[in-house]
Amino acid sequence: MRIGVITFPGTLDDRDAARAVNVSGAEAVALWHADADLKKVDAVILPGGFSYGDYLRCGAISRFAPVMKLVIDAAGKGMPVLGICNGFQVLCESHLLPGALTRNSDLHFLCRDQEIEITNNATAWTTSFAKGERITIPLKNGEGSFQCDDQTLATLESEGRVIARYVGVNPNGSRNLIAGITNERGNVVGLMPHPEHAIDPLTGPSAQGLGFFTSILKAMVK
Amino acid sequence: MAKIVVNVMLKPEILDPQGNAVASALPRLGFTFANSVRQGKRFEIEIDGEPTPAQMVEVEKAAEVLLSNPVIETYEVRVEK
């Protein structure tokens, strides 16, 4: 089970994502943005950070990186893809997921432990959780406000494609408290908070983030 | 040499926290004229000679694919004299 972790110029969380993959029992495979080869991986993670300095719009330039063409093609054929934070922004810019992430409503960069509720445990990345399970993992972003038009929002809600919501507060102005969504097929997931920083109580608020990485392992073994 | 200007604005229904912050800063400085402020982006693109219709089609395409995100933004393209 090989899970690719892409590094773009400006990516920050690739090491933690790779570590989370390895701790979950899979093998992390480093992928470079300029690679024209997915190195036979079974799934791909787009980690957090500030790819291309967030120039133009977050994720807007990364979308056109050579490796993304391969990721978009493979995602269309069903390969599981998880975008975390900046990775979520890249997935939206790539149109693999609907909507967009915009500036936090209070303009502040957020960095804190955030409770979220898993609202869809049927995607490739969420089967280790119970539906309605609440977990606490770090949230750190400047542009995490999920926005889309009313029709897209209605579609996401009616099809159960909101995979996680913020609990207690709306930290960034996201519509309907959306912290993460999936595509129609359930193989592509975007998540604003960071499960890869919560895989060990020594360094994170919990080890509950590990569920995203064990989920994909289960999905692949099946 | 001609200059092509692409203006990108958030759609009216998209929350613009930066514009709101500017709008609330203005009265603090004594500027009381603004009902609201929306903040956008302006791209200035220089090309050799006058743009051909084919080049303008290319610029439109670039504005739609890269310079703006049609999910949240609109754009307008014009040639600056």
Side-chain angles (χ1 to χ4, degrees):
Chain A
M1 172 80 203
R2 291 159 59 82
I3 300 181
V5 177
I6 300 178
T7 302
F8 298 95
T11 295
L12 294 179
D13 300 326
D14 42 347
R15 297 282 181 113
D16 273 21
R19 181 164 169 268
V21 166
N22 290 331
V23 168
S24 74
E27 181 194 351
V29 177
L31 298 176
W32 179 236
H33 72 113
D35 283 350
D37 176 12
L38 286 183
K39 300 184 180 170
K40 296 192 171 69
V41 295
D42 304 295
V44 163
I45 295 174
L46 280 63
F50 300 87
S51 58
Y52 296 92
D54 276 352
Y55 292 170
L56 190 58
R57 293 176 308 278
C58 303
I61 312 249
S62 317
R63 171 200 169 184
F64 298 102
V67 78
M68 280 308 297
K69 187 179 181 334
L70 304 176
V71 170
I72 291 167
D73 287 348
K77 292 173 188 151
M79 184 184 74
V81 178
L82 173 66
I84 303 166
C85 193
N86 188 220
F88 188 5
Q89 295 162 340
V90 175
L91 292 179
C92 286
E93 283 284 343
S94 307
H95 307 303
L96 285 175
L97 292 173
L101 284 311
T102 63
R103 191 65 65 104
N104 292 348
S105 52
D106 65 1
L107 289 170
H108 294 286
F109 187 94
L110 283 175
C111 185
R112 67 152 175 256
D113 299 334
Q114 174 69 46
E115 192 178 23
I116 60 170
E117 179 176 333
I118 304 297
T119 48
N120 175 342
N121 67 342
T123 77
W125 299 92
T126 54
T127 54
S128 290
F129 299 102
K131 195 172 178 186
E133 185 173 344
R134 292 183 173 191
I135 64 172
T136 299
I137 60 177
L139 176 69
K140 50 167 189 138
N141 63 73
E143 310 207 4
S145 179
F146 180 78
Q147 301 296 323
C148 61
D149 60 39
D150 291 343
Q151 193 186 345
T152 305
L153 190 66
T155 304
L156 287 173
E157 292 290 356
S158 68
E159 294 178 358
R161 285 165 52 194
V162 176
I163 66 117
R165 281 184 224 274
Y166 301 112
V167 174
V169 291
N170 192 338
N172 47 28
S174 292
R175 297 199 76 178
N176 289 17
L177 294 165
I178 289 174
I181 58 171
T182 187
N183 62 344
E184 277 177 46
R185 198 166 175 170
N187 63 310
V188 179
V189 165
L191 186 69
M192 199 28 73
H194 290 264
E196 79 284 13
H197 296 329
I199 61 158
D200 187 330
L202 180 68
T203 52
S206 71
Q208 293 168 314
L210 202 55
F212 286 90
F213 305 95
T214 55
S215 294
I216 190 62
L217 207 55
K218 281 199 292 182
M220 288 289 123
V221 170
K222 257 183 224 168
Chain B
M1 195 174 70
K3 186 192 281 180
I4 301 168
V5 174
V6 181
N7 286 316
V8 176
M9 289 299 296
L10 279 173
K11 288 179 179 173
E13 67 270 25
I14 301 291
L15 180 71
D16 178 14
Q18 295 183 101
N20 290 346
V22 173
S24 59
L26 285 171
R28 287 203 295 275
L29 300 174
F31 298 114
T32 55
F33 50 79
N35 285 335
S36 70
V37 177
R38 304 283 290 174
Q39 182 176 325
K41 293 192 188 92
R42 172 188 163 105
F43 299 87
E44 295 184 349
I45 303 160
E46 286 182 349
I47 62 162
D48 288 331
E50 288 303 304
T52 64
Q55 280 176 319
M56 290 305 287
V57 169
E58 286 285 287
V59 172
E60 285 273 342
K61 199 167 150 193
E64 189 174 334
V65 173
L66 180 64
L67 303 183
S68 76
N69 176 352
V71 175
I72 50 169
E73 294 169 327
T74 57
Y75 66 86
E76 57 170 21
V77 178
R78 63 186 168 79
V79 180
E80 192 148 282
K81 298 293 172 197

